[in-house]
Amino acid sequence: MNTLLDHLVDAPATDALRDHERDYATLAEQLDRRGVRVDAAVDAVRRFEVAVPSWGLGTGGTRFGRFPGAGEPRTLEEKLEDAAVVHRLTGATPRVSLHIPWDEPRDVAALREHAASLGLGFDAVNSNTFQDQPGQSHSYRLGSFSNPDAAVRRQAVEHNLRTMEIGKALGAESITVWLADGSNYPGQMSLRKSFDRVLDCLRQVYAALPAGWRLFTEHKPYEPAFYATVVQDWGSSLLLAQSLGERAQCLVDLGHHLPNTNIELVVARLIGAEKLGGFHFNDSKYGDDDLTAGSIKPYGLFLIFHELVLAERERLAGFRPSYMIDQSHNIKDPIEDLLQTVDQLQQAYVKAQLVDHAALAGYQEVGDVVMAERTLKDAFATDVRPLVGEARRRGGAALDPIAAFRASGYRARKAIERVTTSGYVPPQSL
Ligand code: RM4
Ligand code: MN
Ligand code: MN
């Protein structure tokens, strides 16, 4: 075991353990009465995995400001150390998703080794053609793949090819393409031509996909473009994926829908079309808020997982979703926010496992609306915290990750080690 990670998961306090054992026994007994095998549910949680975003390990910010915390990672290597802490405490995050060039490795082989020594691997790589980078020949001000200038489009395609090369050397198996392309004013660009250009560029990227890789297209309704985003909705994303071929699938970011969109329905449609590739988990109230998953709409999250668990049980063709987190941790400690996130995802996932599917299907057949809805609510209303705690404990992770993280003093130690060159020290009073 890496010394850095030693002692993170010390035995919980005796009374915490005793309380947990009682709560777990009560829940197990309750589930038994409902015909649910608690061990199977615990095993399902233990199999659940989600990737951590490299850009979610430092403190995020808005265009109004950023409030970094002491001891936050300064380098990609330090970000991986923090990601390893999240994995050690949850047992559920063995891979990191890199954003290129935000988190471009200087030495790919060395980084892969460093990650492996921390027990980590790499998930989808994310290309970034939404910002100009120093030394770049052409500007993305008017878009990347949709740009009217062929030289800009070429540059953007080449960036994606390079991103895949890096990903391949790291052992990743997919690329996520999110484009900021769009227009701010009616008339700024041709709505049809811009989409055709995006498809054409994606074809070039798709043609270079390494063996065994998948390409995910990620849609977003607005921001940074405010009038018309080129890949603005799941319909556009599906058109792209279907035109590209079998190894292209759609990625659903939970914050990338207009308010009140029925996301579980979108998920069901994509599953039906064998085109659900992956998720970016987060939560939102208004738009792409990047808040902690489950913090605002936990029932919605559960309903999404219900669709996922149904597809998993039915072993549907083409169903192999890649789960990732995409959040910006602006005022919480990023590690704590990720620990909360994973816990919320594990809870939503296992609640979906508790749904009595046979009963639900029966009620649907005879049109018993009340009982059908109640079947879902019975699962959602179950307090599954002892169950996910037990799953983590059996997997050698922490019963209560936040408590274990706070008790470890990890962040305080890093605040001493990771002194920023700017000498910035956050004010002590909050
Ligand atoms: C976008 C989108 C992408 C993410 C960037 C940082 O809104 O969610 O997935 O990589 O933000
Ligand atoms: Mn995203
Ligand atoms: Mn986003």
Side-chain angles (χ1 to χ4, degrees):
M1 165 84 39
N2 191 293
T3 49
L4 174 88
L5 303 174
D6 284 350
H7 306 303
L8 266 175
V9 185
D10 282 339
T14 334
D15 49 345
L17 194 56
R18 196 197 50 222
D19 288 352
H20 163 72
E21 275 162 0
R22 282 188 190 159
D23 292 345
Y24 180 71
T26 307
L27 177 61
E29 193 265 328
Q30 190 196 110
L31 291 178
D32 191 54
R33 261 186 283 130
R34 282 158 55 179
V36 175
R37 285 178 38 234
V38 71
D39 281 321
V42 168
D43 288 345
V45 179
R46 288 186 60 184
R47 283 192 303 271
F48 180 81
E49 289 180 355
V50 60
V52 162
S54 63
W55 60 101
L57 290 157
T59 306
T62 69
R63 68 186 194 275
F64 299 104
R66 183 171 170 267
F67 303 97
E72 67 173 47
R74 297 162 301 179
T75 61
L76 181 50
E77 287 72 17
E78 290 180 352
K79 286 182 183 179
L80 291 183
E81 283 180 12
D82 288 7
V85 169
V86 176
H87 183 42
R88 182 77 190 88
L89 292 169
T90 62
T93 58
R95 285 175 302 279
V96 176
S97 189
L98 288 192
H99 219 294
I100 310 289
W102 281 350
D103 285 308
E104 180 162 353
R106 274 163 308 169
D107 179 340
V108 178
L111 190 79
R112 190 174 180 172
E113 230 171 79
H114 177 59
S117 76
L118 294 165
L120 298 174
F122 292 92
D123 211 276
V125 279
N126 302 260
S127 56
N128 175 339
T129 57
F130 48 86
Q131 282 171 324
D132 287 346
Q133 304 299 333
Q136 174 181 312
S137 314
H138 305 283
S139 172
Y140 294 132
R141 191 173 81 92
L142 295 177
S144 59
F145 281 5
S146 70
N147 200 296
D149 183 342
V152 184
R153 300 201 295 275
R154 186 68 224 153
Q155 174 182 280
V157 168
E158 267 157 19
H159 171 71
N160 276 267
L161 303 187
R162 203 166 61 80
T163 300
M164 290 196 292
E165 279 307 312
I166 296 170
K168 203 175 146 190
L170 288 171
E173 291 179 345
S174 50
I175 179 168
T176 300
V177 182
W178 174 71
L179 302 169
D181 293 44
S183 49
N184 271 354
Y185 301 98
Q188 182 184 323
M189 63 158 60
S190 157
L191 298 182
R192 272 188 289 127
K193 277 187 197 161
S194 53
F195 191 74
D196 293 345
R197 290 186 199 118
V198 165
L199 178 56
D200 181 62
C201 289
L202 281 172
R203 279 195 212 283
Q204 297 173 47
V205 178
Y206 187 79
L209 264 187
W213 272 50
R214 287 185 293 167
L215 181 153
F216 303 138
T217 56
E218 179 181 0
H219 70 274
K220 179 166 171 172
Y222 72 93
E223 197 205 16
F226 290 111
Y227 166 62
T229 300
V230 183
V231 190
Q232 71 144 23
D233 54 11
W234 70 275
S236 309
S237 183
L238 181 60
L239 271 177
L240 293 173
Q242 285 180 329
S243 309
L244 290 172
E246 213 186 317
R247 292 193 289 147
Q249 291 186 309
C250 304
L251 184 138
V252 177
D253 182 313
L254 298 191
H256 292 194
H257 306 268
L258 293 175
N260 297 329
T261 296
N262 186 333
I263 305 178
E264 58 273 23
L265 182 67
V266 172
V267 170
R269 287 292 171 275
L270 290 175
I271 291 173
E274 299 180 20
K275 282 296 185 194
L276 181 75
F279 271 89
H280 273 177
F281 289 113
N282 53 56
D283 208 346
S284 73
K285 178 79 179 158
Y286 302 105
D288 192 21
D289 306 349
D290 282 334
L291 301 176
T292 318
S295 59
I296 309 275
K297 293 172 286 201
Y299 191 46
L301 185 63
F302 160 78
L303 293 173
I304 290 166
F305 270 109
H306 172 57
E307 294 303 322
L308 297 171
V309 167
L310 272 179
E312 201 175 278
R313 297 230 171 140
E314 291 169 29
R315 297 178 192 283
L316 291 186
F319 184 72
R320 191 162 61 92
S322 183
Y323 295 147
M324 293 169 262
I325 295 167
D326 182 4
Q327 295 179 169
S328 180
H329 311 120
N330 296 341
I331 55 166
K332 291 176 178 170
D333 179 313
I335 291 184
E336 293 195 359
D337 204 344
L338 287 165
L339 295 175
Q340 278 189 305
T341 303
V342 175
D343 181 66
Q344 286 296 307
L345 297 175
Q346 289 174 323
Q347 287 195 43
Y349 178 64
V350 79
K351 283 182 182 187
Q353 297 278 350
L354 302 185
V355 173
D356 185 339
H357 292 105
L360 178 62
Y363 295 133
Q364 288 173 345
E365 286 307 313
V366 298
D368 193 335
V369 183
V370 168
M371 291 308 289
E373 188 200 9
R374 208 167 97 165
T375 305
L376 287 180
K377 281 278 172 79
D378 280 344
F380 176 66
T382 311
D383 183 355
V384 294
R385 287 174 297 181
L387 204 161
V388 295
E390 182 63 17
R392 285 191 294 257
R393 197 164 79 103
R394 286 191 196 169
L399 181 59
D400 179 344
I402 299 264
F405 177 69
R406 292 198 169 184
S408 75
Y410 179 85
R411 192 60 90 191
R413 221 164 47 241
K414 293 296 157 190
I416 297 166
E417 283 169 35
R418 298 174 179 172
V419 180
T420 54
T421 40
S422 69
Y424 174 82
V425 181
Q428 287 308 300
S429 58
L430 292 176

